[in-house]
Coordinates of all heavy atoms in Angstrom, one line a residue:
D409 N 0.8 -1.2 0.0 CA 0.0 0.0 0.0 C 0.8 1.3 0.0 O 0.3 2.3 -0.3 CB -0.9 0.0 1.2 CG -1.9 -1.1 1.2 OD1 -2.2 -1.6 0.1 OD2 -2.3 -1.5 2.3
T410 N 2.1 1.2 0.4 CA 2.9 2.4 0.5 C 3.4 2.9 -0.9 O 3.9 4.0 -1.0 CB 4.1 2.2 1.4 OG1 4.9 1.1 0.9 CG2 3.7 1.9 2.8
G411 N 3.4 2.1 -1.9 CA 3.8 2.5 -3.2 C 4.8 1.6 -3.8 O 5.1 0.6 -3.3
P412 N 5.2 2.0 -5.0 CA 6.1 1.1 -5.8 C 7.5 0.9 -5.1 O 8.0 1.8 -4.4 CB 6.3 1.8 -7.1 CG 5.9 3.2 -6.9 CD 5.0 3.2 -5.7
T413 N 8.1 -0.3 -5.4 CA 9.4 -0.6 -4.8 C 10.4 -0.9 -6.0 O 10.0 -1.5 -7.0 CB 9.3 -1.9 -4.0 OG1 8.4 -1.7 -2.9 CG2 10.6 -2.3 -3.4
L414 N 11.6 -0.4 -5.8 CA 12.7 -0.7 -6.7 C 13.6 -1.7 -6.0 O 14.1 -1.4 -4.9 CB 13.5 0.6 -7.1 CG 14.7 0.4 -7.9 CD1 14.4 -0.2 -9.3 CD2 15.5 1.7 -8.1
D415 N 13.8 -2.8 -6.6 CA 14.7 -3.9 -6.2 C 16.0 -3.7 -6.9 O 16.2 -4.1 -8.0 CB 14.1 -5.3 -6.4 CG 14.9 -6.4 -6.0 OD1 16.0 -6.2 -5.3 OD2 14.5 -7.6 -6.2
F416 N 16.9 -2.9 -6.3 CA 18.2 -2.5 -7.0 C 19.2 -3.6 -6.8 O 19.6 -3.9 -5.7 CB 18.7 -1.2 -6.4 CG 19.9 -0.7 -7.1 CD1 19.8 -0.2 -8.4 CD2 21.2 -0.9 -6.6 CE1 20.9 0.3 -9.1 CE2 22.3 -0.5 -7.2 CZ 22.2 0.1 -8.5
G417 N 19.6 -4.2 -7.9 CA 20.5 -5.4 -7.9 C 19.7 -6.6 -7.6 O 20.0 -7.4 -6.6
A418 N 18.7 -6.8 -8.3 CA 17.7 -7.9 -8.1 C 18.2 -9.3 -8.1 O 17.6 -10.2 -7.6 CB 16.5 -7.7 -9.1
G419 N 19.4 -9.5 -8.7 CA 19.9 -10.9 -8.7 C 19.0 -11.9 -9.4 O 18.5 -11.6 -10.5
Q420 N 18.7 -13.0 -8.7 CA 17.9 -14.0 -9.2 C 16.4 -13.6 -9.2 O 15.6 -14.2 -9.8 CB 18.0 -15.3 -8.4 CG 19.4 -15.9 -8.4 CD 19.7 -16.5 -9.8 OE1 18.9 -16.9 -10.6 NE2 21.0 -16.6 -10.1
G421 N 16.1 -12.5 -8.4 CA 14.7 -12.0 -8.5 C 13.8 -12.4 -7.3 O 12.6 -12.2 -7.4
S422 N 14.4 -13.0 -6.3 CA 13.5 -13.5 -5.2 C 12.8 -12.4 -4.5 O 11.6 -12.6 -4.2 CB 14.4 -14.3 -4.2 OG 14.9 -15.4 -4.8
L423 N 13.4 -11.3 -4.2 CA 12.7 -10.2 -3.6 C 11.6 -9.7 -4.5 O 10.5 -9.4 -4.0 CB 13.7 -9.1 -3.2 CG 13.1 -7.9 -2.5 CD1 12.5 -8.3 -1.1 CD2 14.1 -6.8 -2.3
S424 N 11.9 -9.5 -5.8 CA 10.9 -8.9 -6.7 C 9.7 -9.9 -6.8 O 8.6 -9.4 -6.9 CB 11.6 -8.7 -8.1 OG 12.5 -7.7 -8.1
M425 N 10.0 -11.2 -6.9 CA 8.9 -12.1 -7.0 C 8.1 -12.1 -5.8 O 6.8 -12.3 -5.8 CB 9.4 -13.5 -7.3 CG 10.0 -13.6 -8.8 SD 10.5 -15.3 -9.2 CE 12.0 -15.5 -8.4
E426 N 8.7 -12.0 -4.6 CA 7.9 -12.0 -3.3 C 7.1 -10.7 -3.3 O 5.9 -10.8 -2.9 CB 8.9 -12.1 -2.1 CG 8.2 -12.4 -0.9 CD 7.4 -13.7 -0.9 OE1 7.7 -14.7 -1.6 OE2 6.3 -13.7 -0.2
I427 N 7.6 -9.6 -3.7 CA 6.8 -8.3 -3.7 C 5.6 -8.5 -4.6 O 4.5 -8.1 -4.3 CB 7.7 -7.1 -4.1 CG1 8.7 -6.8 -2.9 CG2 6.9 -5.9 -4.4 CD1 9.8 -5.8 -3.3
T428 N 5.8 -9.1 -5.8 CA 4.8 -9.3 -6.7 C 3.7 -10.2 -6.1 O 2.5 -9.9 -6.2 CB 5.3 -9.9 -8.0 OG1 6.2 -9.0 -8.6 CG2 4.2 -10.2 -9.0
A429 N 4.1 -11.3 -5.5 CA 3.2 -12.2 -4.8 C 2.4 -11.6 -3.7 O 1.2 -12.0 -3.5 CB 4.0 -13.4 -4.3
L430 N 3.0 -10.6 -3.1 CA 2.2 -9.9 -2.0 C 1.4 -8.7 -2.5 O 0.8 -7.9 -1.8 CB 3.3 -9.4 -1.0 CG 4.0 -10.4 -0.2 CD1 5.1 -9.9 0.6 CD2 3.0 -11.2 0.7
G431 N 1.3 -8.6 -3.9 CA 0.5 -7.6 -4.5 C 1.1 -6.2 -4.7 O 0.4 -5.2 -5.0
G432 N 2.4 -6.2 -4.5 CA 3.1 -4.9 -4.7 C 3.6 -4.6 -6.1 O 3.7 -5.6 -6.9
E433 N 3.8 -3.4 -6.4 CA 4.4 -3.0 -7.7 C 5.9 -2.9 -7.5 O 6.4 -2.3 -6.6 CB 3.8 -1.6 -8.1 CG 4.5 -1.1 -9.4 CD 4.1 0.4 -9.7 OE1 3.2 0.9 -9.1 OE2 4.8 1.0 -10.5
V434 N 6.6 -3.6 -8.4 CA 8.1 -3.7 -8.2 C 8.7 -3.5 -9.6 O 8.2 -4.0 -10.6 CB 8.5 -5.0 -7.5 CG1 8.2 -6.2 -8.4 CG2 10.0 -4.9 -7.2
V435 N 9.9 -2.9 -9.6 CA 10.8 -2.9 -10.7 C 12.1 -3.5 -10.3 O 12.6 -3.1 -9.3 CB 11.0 -1.4 -11.3 CG1 12.0 -1.4 -12.4 CG2 9.7 -0.8 -11.7
A436 N 12.5 -4.5 -11.0 CA 13.8 -5.1 -10.7 C 14.9 -4.5 -11.5 O 14.8 -4.5 -12.8 CB 13.7 -6.6 -11.0
F437 N 15.9 -3.9 -10.9 CA 17.0 -3.3 -11.6 C 18.1 -4.3 -11.5 O 18.7 -4.6 -10.5 CB 17.4 -2.0 -10.9 CG 18.5 -1.2 -11.6 CD1 18.2 0.0 -12.1 CD2 19.8 -1.7 -11.7 CE1 19.1 0.8 -12.8 CE2 20.8 -0.9 -12.4 CZ 20.4 0.3 -12.9
E438 N 18.5 -4.9 -12.7 CA 19.5 -5.9 -12.7 C 20.1 -6.0 -14.1 O 19.5 -6.4 -15.0 CB 18.9 -7.3 -12.3 CG 19.9 -8.4 -12.4 CD 21.1 -8.2 -11.5 OE1 21.0 -8.0 -10.3 OE2 22.2 -8.2 -12.1
P439 N 21.4 -5.5 -14.2 CA 22.0 -5.5 -15.6 C 22.2 -6.9 -16.2 O 22.2 -7.1 -17.4 CB 23.4 -4.9 -15.3 CG 23.3 -4.2 -14.0 CD 22.2 -4.9 -13.2
Y440 N 22.3 -7.9 -15.3 CA 22.6 -9.3 -15.8 C 21.4 -10.2 -15.7 O 21.4 -11.3 -16.3 CB 23.8 -9.8 -15.1 CG 24.9 -8.8 -15.1 CD1 25.2 -8.0 -14.0 CD2 25.7 -8.6 -16.2 CE1 26.1 -7.0 -14.0 CE2 26.7 -7.6 -16.3 CZ 26.9 -6.8 -15.2 OH 27.9 -5.9 -15.2
G441 N 20.5 -9.9 -14.8 CA 19.4 -10.6 -14.4 C 18.8 -11.9 -14.9 O 19.2 -12.4 -15.9
N442 N 18.0 -12.4 -14.1 CA 17.3 -13.7 -14.4 C 16.4 -13.4 -15.6 O 15.4 -12.7 -15.5 CB 16.5 -14.0 -13.2 CG 15.7 -15.3 -13.3 OD1 15.5 -15.8 -14.4 ND2 15.2 -15.8 -12.2
P443 N 16.6 -14.1 -16.8 CA 15.8 -13.8 -18.0 C 14.4 -14.2 -17.8 O 13.5 -13.8 -18.6 CB 16.6 -14.6 -19.0 CG 17.4 -15.6 -18.3 CD 17.7 -15.1 -17.0
A444 N 14.0 -15.0 -16.8 CA 12.7 -15.5 -16.6 C 11.8 -14.5 -15.9 O 10.6 -14.6 -15.9 CB 12.6 -16.8 -15.9
L445 N 12.4 -13.4 -15.3 CA 11.6 -12.5 -14.5 C 10.5 -11.8 -15.3 O 9.3 -11.8 -14.8 CB 12.5 -11.4 -13.9 CG 13.3 -11.9 -12.7 CD1 14.2 -10.8 -12.2 CD2 12.5 -12.4 -11.6
P446 N 10.7 -11.3 -16.5 CA 9.5 -10.7 -17.2 C 8.4 -11.7 -17.4 O 7.2 -11.4 -17.4 CB 10.1 -10.3 -18.5 CG 11.6 -10.1 -18.2 CD 11.9 -11.1 -17.2
E447 N 8.7 -13.0 -17.6 CA 7.7 -14.0 -17.8 C 6.9 -14.3 -16.5 O 5.8 -14.8 -16.6 CB 8.3 -15.3 -18.3 CG 9.0 -15.2 -19.6 CD 9.9 -16.4 -19.9 OE1 9.8 -17.5 -19.3 OE2 10.8 -16.3 -20.8
L448 N 7.5 -13.9 -15.4 CA 6.9 -14.1 -14.1 C 6.1 -12.8 -13.7 O 5.7 -12.7 -12.5 CB 7.9 -14.5 -13.1 CG 8.6 -15.8 -13.3 CD1 9.8 -16.0 -12.4 CD2 7.6 -17.0 -13.2
G449 N 6.0 -11.8 -14.6 CA 5.3 -10.6 -14.3 C 6.1 -9.5 -13.6 O 5.5 -8.6 -13.1

């Protein structure tokens, strides 16, 4: 409810996926990142 979250250095994306699962808006900042993250929303 507090607003969007930036996961800076998202790595494998666990934090971003958990934020998404909890109904939050998240942007994962990751230059090398997990290529499956966009497919996971």
Side-chain angles (χ1 to χ4, degrees):
D409 299 334
T410 58
T413 300
L414 175 62
D415 180 4
F416 183 78
Q420 298 288 337
S422 296
L423 181 65
S424 291
M425 289 185 285
E426 194 58 31
I427 290 169
T428 300
L430 293 170
E433 177 189 344
V434 66
V435 175
F437 188 113
E438 179 55 62
Y440 311 99
N442 180 345
L445 285 177
E447 297 167 17
L448 298 170

